[in-house]
Amino acid sequence: MATAADADAMRRAVGLAARGLGSTSPNPVVGCVITDASGAVVGEGFHQKAGGPHAEVHALSAAGDRARGGTAYVTLEPCNHTGRTGPCAQALVRAGIARVVYAVGDPNPQATGGADTLRAAGIEVEQGLLAQEAEAGNAAWLTSVRLGRPYVLWKYAATLDGRIAAEDGTSRWITSPEARADVHRLRAEADAVVVGSGTARTDDPHLAVRGVEGAVQPLRVVVDTEAKAVRPGARVLDDAAPTLVAVAEDADTAHLADTDVVRLPRAATGLDIPALLAALHGRGVRSVLLEGGPALAGAFVAAGAVDKVVGYLAPVLLGAGPAALTGAGITTIADALRLELTETVRIGPDLRISATPKER
């Protein structure tokens, strides 16, 4: 049975795992804490980048011989396969670990089985400690493995009465500098940032991460069905980060000859969202930050492809202007997409609200 000390060690492992957000894709974020036979912490680590040592290897290296007879706390079941690095389950066995406590089982069929390997070596194995916290921290990778598509976080900024711009179209700046800085943190944690043609045409956004030290720049994606919004000289076409323009199969892209373009089938309006997500997944994208306008957000919601919503609400009233969401296919209150609030945080003068759909 897990003790308070076990929970403290796993909570530390969950916190360590979060330090890898944005730099480990297409691998998961994982944290590991190792205690010696007396229960003292002797090593810890996290997966820092794809192709690099896994969390267990970092922690074992820090612990050295003190790991023998000790306990390893890992946020994800230790892997059981050899890829660019060796199997962590075998590394734990060689180190003489006596007990392994992990939070979440590995759903990847190529890597699962680590727990069985550990048990076969005579190691005591326990699963499920702080599983909910570890799942939340690794939601992007787990979603990508289980559903075969990237995890999608839809972010928007609005006034308290739900307007994302004034009636005349002006929108800078609804939220505070603190809220805008927080959005760059979300970008730094994502593999791709996605906007639509309306945002590209109206705002000429840059979409690169600023102000986050050591950030890996996400792929900038513009959903430009007719290939008319992204023109030569657009800020999104600079060399600050890679860019992909998604267009319809029959779109004229002669002016985008030097740009990475993906052609996708049309939907009733715009592009086919599942096809877009499949194309991104095929490029190694495991998490998407959707920053598009109300129409693109509505298309994602209608496709059932929003896993989390983060809204920045400013203490401002406009009374008129575009709403945050349109065209989501919801026409009656009975069909409303109900959300479960997971966090409310004050960001400067604004409020950041996070929620997840109750029905997937």
Side-chain angles (χ1 to χ4, degrees):
M1 183 175 177
T3 65
D6 290 332
D8 288 342
M10 185 62 80
R11 191 168 289 110
R12 172 60 180 167
V14 171
L16 287 166
R19 294 170 61 180
L21 284 170
S23 62
T24 66
S25 189
N27 293 350
V29 294
V30 183
C32 178
V33 170
I34 293 177
T35 60
D36 64 15
S38 70
V41 174
V42 293
E44 58 182 33
F46 66 98
H47 185 38
Q48 299 176 14
K49 63 178 182 178
H54 290 185
E56 297 93 322
V57 174
H58 282 298
L60 288 171
S61 177
D65 291 338
R66 294 173 295 176
R68 189 164 298 278
T71 299
Y73 301 87
V74 195
T75 56
L76 185 68
E77 179 184 1
C79 67
N80 199 45
H81 79 299
T82 300
R84 286 184 283 183
T85 60
C88 291
Q90 293 292 349
L92 292 166
V93 171
R94 290 194 300 270
I97 288 289
R99 175 174 174 245
V100 172
V101 181
Y102 68 92
V104 180
D106 193 332
N108 184 353
Q110 295 179 333
T112 193
D116 292 337
T117 295
L118 294 168
R119 291 191 182 96
I123 294 175
E124 180 185 350
V125 179
E126 300 172 25
Q127 176 186 353
L129 179 61
L130 299 189
Q132 186 173 357
E133 290 90 333
E135 284 251 1
N138 215 10
W141 182 81
L142 289 168
T143 297
S144 72
V145 173
R146 292 167 177 166
L147 301 183
R149 64 156 176 83
Y151 173 89
V152 177
L153 187 160
W154 170 42
K155 160 264 164 186
Y156 71 93
T159 62
L160 204 56
D161 56 342
R163 309 294 178 174
I164 62 169
E167 193 170 20
D168 65 358
T170 55
S171 61
R172 296 187 180 185
W173 296 99
I174 286 177
T175 52
S176 64
E178 294 91 338
R180 298 196 296 275
D182 196 61
V183 171
H184 282 277
R185 176 189 60 82
L186 293 183
R187 287 182 181 176
E189 293 177 356
D191 294 340
V193 178
V194 179
V195 299
S197 57
T199 299
R201 188 178 296 109
T202 303
D203 296 341
D204 188 22
H206 192 228
L207 302 182
V209 177
R210 298 189 303 276
V212 180
E213 185 177 355
V216 176
Q217 291 292 346
L219 175 67
R220 300 177 292 188
V221 181
V222 181
V223 180
D224 187 7
T225 305
E226 307 299 339
K228 294 181 179 179
V230 180
R231 311 302 299 182
R235 297 174 69 214
V236 78
L237 296 180
D238 69 9
D239 59 2
T243 299
L244 175 69
V245 180
V247 304
E249 292 169 322
D250 57 349
D252 180 3
T253 58
H255 60 292
L256 297 174
D258 297 326
T259 302
D260 192 5
V261 171
V262 60
R263 294 182 178 275
L264 300 172
R266 292 177 181 270
T269 58
L271 296 180
D272 184 90
I273 298 303
L276 170 64
L277 291 174
L280 293 176
H281 193 265
R283 290 170 175 253
V285 171
R286 298 296 179 262
S287 59
V288 163
L289 176 61
L290 176 62
E291 289 197 43
L296 186 61
F300 271 78
V301 170
V306 171
D307 301 293
K308 184 176 181 179
V309 179
V310 174
Y312 294 86
L313 299 183
V316 176
L317 299 176
L318 283 173
L325 183 69
T326 62
I330 300 170
T331 58
T332 179
I333 193 67
D335 295 334
L337 179 60
R338 302 289 177 176
L339 307 176
E340 180 179 354
L341 288 179
T342 58
E343 185 185 48
T344 57
V345 178
R346 181 82 174 263
I347 305 289
D350 306 317
L351 187 66
R352 184 185 72 204
I353 299 178
S354 301
T356 56
K358 291 184 177 180
E359 300 175 6
R360 294 297 180 98

